[in-house]
Amino acid sequence: MSLKNTAEDYGSIAKWLHWSTAVLFLGSYISVYYRHWFTEKETPENWIALQLHLSIGVSIAVIVALRIVWRMRNRQPEPEAGTKLEHMAAHIGHLALYAMMVIMPVTGYIGTGVNTEYFSLFDIPKFEDTQLFTTLVSDGLGVTFKEFEKPVDFIHKDIMGAWVVWLLILGHVSAALYHQFVKKDRTLYKMTTSN
């Protein structure tokens, strides 16, 4: 199996980055829903679920950064046959997915009022305690963390997390299944099989 992409298929690195992102997003949602549905506030279980969610979010940010660099420095497989509209929809869909993969970890980090105990290995200071917060938000905008946190949380939780992420994932999975079962082309195989 090739590490790099070819004209026909994604390489093993692109596949690893793709599926790692998918698994991490799933883990992020499981941890946050577990926290909200099955734990009481201010309990050790609630804190552990929150820290798991935050640690996964940091991991997503790192993987997505690597993924963007890899995508920019690597060729993409040739698209399967399709109409201009299909290719445009695929391009827009991928741009939206990448935007979501950047926005979610960034808003998650800057809107969190606690340090991240990264998988209990080391602490990552909360955004409020950074010089960047002081320079851009506190001094620059003249707002407190509480005032800053509200719109950021709205984007992270109420808009993106509550429905935009789900719609984008549903669209992505639906497109893959459409290619597999309706068009019967190699789109899904490019990301799932060995070269």
Side-chain angles (χ1 to χ4, degrees):
M1 176 185 293
S2 173
L3 291 177
K4 293 183 143 194
N5 299 347
T6 66
E8 294 79 34
D9 287 302
Y10 289 99
S12 56
I13 292 176
K15 289 176 184 177
W16 183 86
L17 291 168
H18 175 274
W19 291 110
S20 296
T21 305
V23 168
L24 287 169
F25 262 96
L26 181 62
S28 177
Y29 269 96
I30 288 170
S31 61
V32 81
Y33 283 132
Y34 176 83
R35 177 177 181 242
H36 290 298
W37 293 345
F38 300 110
T39 69
E40 297 293 325
K41 286 186 178 182
E42 298 181 18
T43 61
E45 294 81 13
N46 184 277
W47 181 254
I48 290 168
L50 171 64
Q51 286 301 323
L52 181 59
H53 180 72
L54 298 177
S55 296
I56 291 171
V58 169
S59 301
I60 290 170
V62 171
I63 294 289
V64 169
L66 293 173
R67 193 171 166 171
I68 290 169
V69 169
W70 186 254
R71 185 177 175 97
M72 289 170 55
R73 298 185 52 88
N74 215 318
R75 72 167 301 145
Q76 297 303 301
E78 295 297 323
E80 298 295 319
T83 66
K84 259 188 176 177
L85 183 62
E86 287 174 327
H87 290 294
M88 185 176 73
H91 183 68
I92 291 169
H94 279 108
L95 286 176
L97 280 165
Y98 272 92
M100 175 269 295
M101 290 187 292
V102 170
I103 292 168
M104 286 302 286
V106 169
T107 57
Y109 172 68
I110 67 174
T112 299
V114 298
N115 292 346
T116 300
E117 298 169 359
Y118 187 75
F119 294 114
S120 298
L121 298 172
F122 55 86
D123 284 3
I124 299 171
K126 60 187 176 181
F127 182 60
E128 181 183 11
D129 290 345
T130 65
Q131 186 60 45
L132 192 60
F133 174 82
T134 304
T135 303
L136 295 179
V137 180
S138 183
D139 295 345
L141 298 174
V143 297
T144 65
F145 180 75
K146 194 170 181 93
E147 294 167 321
F148 174 77
E149 179 186 30
K150 195 170 183 176
V152 172
D153 271 356
F154 180 72
I155 293 167
H156 183 77
K157 297 175 184 175
D158 299 331
I159 295 176
M160 297 296 290
W163 60 276
V164 172
V165 172
W166 290 112
L167 289 175
L168 289 172
I169 291 171
L170 178 64
H172 188 62
V173 170
S174 297
L177 295 175
Y178 169 75
H179 278 279
Q180 180 69 19
F181 296 110
V182 177
K183 294 195 79 172
K184 299 184 189 304
D185 62 24
R186 293 192 68 254
T187 300
L188 187 58
Y189 291 116
K190 290 178 184 180
M191 194 51 81
T192 57
T193 59
S194 299
N195 299 19

